[in-house]
């Protein structure tokens, strides 16, 4: 069920106007890759391969052009986007010529990066309440929008996975939430939820690309719906889970019964180090397993993630599927693949920025279920079948385009 802004979409800026892309974790691998890739695409130095929104029906929808996306963001790191891009070039992930061409664009984007929020500030730093932190982050987003004359700013959270939050008080009441957030001695919300709250305060469409808690607090989703702020999440479906949500429905459609589906991830870099933490990895394991369990009807889906530092940004994913067929016969399928994880994620980040701009212009508020196409654990939807998600997303973009008076091409 869709939520629409109370004032409709008629007085909202056009969806294809200049749009801000505010990346939380702006100096990380995914954000740096997305920013460099955006510059290369806008300059015609690279094709938008891997971007869903360049094919129909999206190509006919009123989406902001790649050249109309302006990048800024938050981060707690002092390693610049240019320096991080140089590291990705040294690792063999990005061609040196692309970094040379995008150098100025990376510098411009990095100049727009503002200090992010952390629950563990450096020793000697003043401690701010989470309410003050959210207001500070929101002010940065609003300032960015106004300084650049942008129609809107889309916020995408790309920060490393955080541990699942400790069970705490039920903060469904807004006054209770506001009082808790105002206390500088308490950190009631995980950082990802402070980030999400800041986006709502700024009236900025928001996407949670990680498995972190973010908007799982019901009151935040209520605020998003009431304020007419479209949101989407969570945990980008970039590789192994994407393949699983293609294969699992195929087994079901053939009447085959999945007995077990075991998997492993090998990865290095920042994600590998983060997910080596047994607490942080739990949210990732949950989001990767939940959809597969729903699709197969089986709880026998063990998965583990190993940190292999020398792999850097390369992720290796392995699956072993054991299936029961006719007369009790058995079928085994094994898949192995490897890819630069940031190269899988970056084009989806650009797609989300364009589609959330359309959602905002069309007056959607709260979770946009059809954007579950991009996520392992979609907000507002229990659909995990990738083919069904593909059809739903195409239908939605036609509906959204029609709401702003520009219907894209009919489905072939």
């Amino acid at each position: 069920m869709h939520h629409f802004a109370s004032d409709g979409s008629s007085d909202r800026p056009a969806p294809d106007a200049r749009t801000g892309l505010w990346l939380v974790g702006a100096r990380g691998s995914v954000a740096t890759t997305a920013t460099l890739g955006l510059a290369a695409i806008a300059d015609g130095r690279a094709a938008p391969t891997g971007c869903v929104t360049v094919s129909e029906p999206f190509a006919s929808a009123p989406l902001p052009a790649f050249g109309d996306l302006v990048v800024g963001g938050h981060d707690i790191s002092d390693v610049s986007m240019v320096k991080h891009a140089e590291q990705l070039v040294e690792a063999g992930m990005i061609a040196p010529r692309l970094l040379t061409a995008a150098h100025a664009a990376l510098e411009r984007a990095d100049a727009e990066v503002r200090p992010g929020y952390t629950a563990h500030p450096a020793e000697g730093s003043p401690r701010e309440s989470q309410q003050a932190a959210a207001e500070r982050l929101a002010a940065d987003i609003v300032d960015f929008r106004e300084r650049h004359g942008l129609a809107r700013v889309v916020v995408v959270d790309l920060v490393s996975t955080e541990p699942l939050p400790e069970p705490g008080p039920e903060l469904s009441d807004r006054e209770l939430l506001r009082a808790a957030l105002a206390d500088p001695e308490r950190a009631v919300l995980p950082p990802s939820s402070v980030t999400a709250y800041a986006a709502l305060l700024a009236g900025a469409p928001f996407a949670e690309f990680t498995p972190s808690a973010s908007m799982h607090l019901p009151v935040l989703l209520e605020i998003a719906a009431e304020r007419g702020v479209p949101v989407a999440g969570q945990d980008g479906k970039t590789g192994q889970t994407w393949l699983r949500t293609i294969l699992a429905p195929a087994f079901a459609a053939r009447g085959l019964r999945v007995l077990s589906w075991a998997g492993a991830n090998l990865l290095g870099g920042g994600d590998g180090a983060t997910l080596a933490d047994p607490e942080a990895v739990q949210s990732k394991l949950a989001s990767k397993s939940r959809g597969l369990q729903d699709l197969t009807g089986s709880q026998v889906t063990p998965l583990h993630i190993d940190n292999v530092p020398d792999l850097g940004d390369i992720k290796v994913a392995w699956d072993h599927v054991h299936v029961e067929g006719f007369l009790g016969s058995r079928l085994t399928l094994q898949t192995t693949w490897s890819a630069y994880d940031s190269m899988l994620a970056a084009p989806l980040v650009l797609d989300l920025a364009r589609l959330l701009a359309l959602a905002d212009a069309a007056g959607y508020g709260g979770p946009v279920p059809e954007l579950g196409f991009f996520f392992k654990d979609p907000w507002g939807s229990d659909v995990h079948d990738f083919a069904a998600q593909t059809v739903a997303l195409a239908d939605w973009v036609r509906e959204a385009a029609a709401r702003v008076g520009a219907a894209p091409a009919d489905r072939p």
Side-chain angles (χ1 to χ4, degrees):
M1 181 176 182
H2 289 126
H3 297 282
F4 295 104
S6 59
D7 58 353
S9 60
S10 60
D11 59 349
R12 290 173 177 248
D16 51 358
R18 291 180 77 236
T19 296
L21 172 54
W22 192 264
L23 302 172
V24 184
R27 289 171 172 159
S29 293
V30 175
T32 298
T33 304
T35 303
L36 185 150
L38 176 63
I41 293 168
D43 288 346
R45 297 176 185 273
T49 306
C51 290
V52 173
T53 51
V54 298
S55 59
E56 293 297 351
F58 312 99
S60 298
L63 305 177
F66 289 106
D68 286 332
L69 294 177
V70 183
V71 180
H74 282 122
D75 210 317
I76 60 173
S77 171
D78 57 3
V79 177
S80 72
M81 297 175 86
V82 170
K83 177 58 69 175
H84 201 119
E86 290 173 351
Q87 294 169 355
L88 296 177
V89 168
E90 291 174 5
M93 180 177 134
I94 293 174
R97 64 176 180 82
L98 292 179
L99 174 55
T100 300
H103 196 279
L106 287 169
E107 287 186 325
R108 285 194 301 271
D110 194 73
E112 297 290 350
V113 177
R114 301 293 180 262
Y117 169 74
T118 174
H120 305 288
E123 187 175 348
S125 300
R127 179 175 290 277
E128 60 184 343
S129 71
Q130 290 191 317
Q131 181 69 37
E135 291 173 355
R136 172 176 62 82
L137 301 179
D140 290 337
I141 297 167
V142 172
D143 175 68
F144 179 68
R145 181 175 65 218
E146 293 178 349
R147 281 190 296 106
H148 291 281
L150 304 172
R152 56 184 54 82
V153 177
V154 176
V155 178
V156 183
D157 184 9
L158 300 171
V159 176
S160 296
T161 302
E162 66 192 11
L164 290 170
E166 296 283 339
E170 179 55 51
L171 298 175
S172 58
D173 179 87
R174 294 190 199 182
E175 292 306 317
L176 179 60
L177 173 65
R178 194 171 291 115
L181 295 183
D183 185 348
E185 299 304 316
R186 300 178 66 192
V188 177
L189 300 185
S192 62
S193 294
V194 176
T195 294
Y197 182 42
L200 297 182
L201 293 178
F206 175 81
E208 180 56 64
F209 208 77
T210 84
S212 299
S214 190
M215 285 201 180
H216 266 301
L217 201 65
V219 66
L220 295 183
L221 292 177
E222 291 172 12
I223 294 171
E226 290 176 6
R227 296 193 177 191
V229 179
V231 298
Q234 78 192 57
D235 199 6
K237 184 161 65 175
T238 57
Q240 182 183 32
T241 305
W242 167 61
L243 185 61
R244 286 175 159 197
T245 57
I246 295 170
L247 292 174
F251 287 124
R254 284 287 299 271
L256 302 171
R257 186 166 75 94
V258 173
L259 299 172
S260 63
W261 197 312
N265 281 180
L266 309 178
L267 69 162
D271 276 351
T274 297
L275 296 176
D277 179 345
E279 293 185 3
V281 78
Q282 290 307 311
S283 56
K284 188 66 153 181
L285 292 173
S287 68
K288 287 178 75 69
S289 299
R290 192 172 293 116
L292 186 59
Q293 290 169 354
D294 289 347
L295 288 168
T296 62
S298 169
Q299 295 295 316
V300 192
T301 54
L303 175 74
H304 68 268
I305 299 175
D306 292 332
N307 178 29
V308 184
D310 58 281
L311 287 177
D313 199 58
I314 295 175
K315 178 192 284 186
V316 177
W318 171 80
D319 275 292
H320 181 282
V321 192
H322 196 204
V323 178
E324 181 182 23
F326 191 57
L327 301 180
S329 61
R330 300 298 170 92
L331 177 155
T332 298
L333 173 69
Q334 293 185 358
T335 65
T336 305
W337 74 327
S338 65
Y340 287 106
D341 204 33
S342 295
M343 286 295 193
L344 297 173
L348 304 187
V349 171
L350 302 182
D351 284 332
L352 281 165
R354 304 180 80 202
L355 291 170
L356 279 168
L358 174 60
D360 186 59
Y364 292 87
V368 181
E370 293 83 359
L371 293 181
F373 171 94
F374 294 96
F375 299 104
K376 298 182 181 74
D377 201 3
W379 294 343
S381 173
D382 58 2
V383 176
H384 296 280
D385 182 325
F386 189 71
Q389 290 176 323
T390 301
V391 173
L393 181 63
D395 289 341
W396 173 82
V397 82
R398 295 185 184 90
E399 174 190 286
R403 282 180 57 82
V404 296
D410 291 334
R411 187 187 305 164

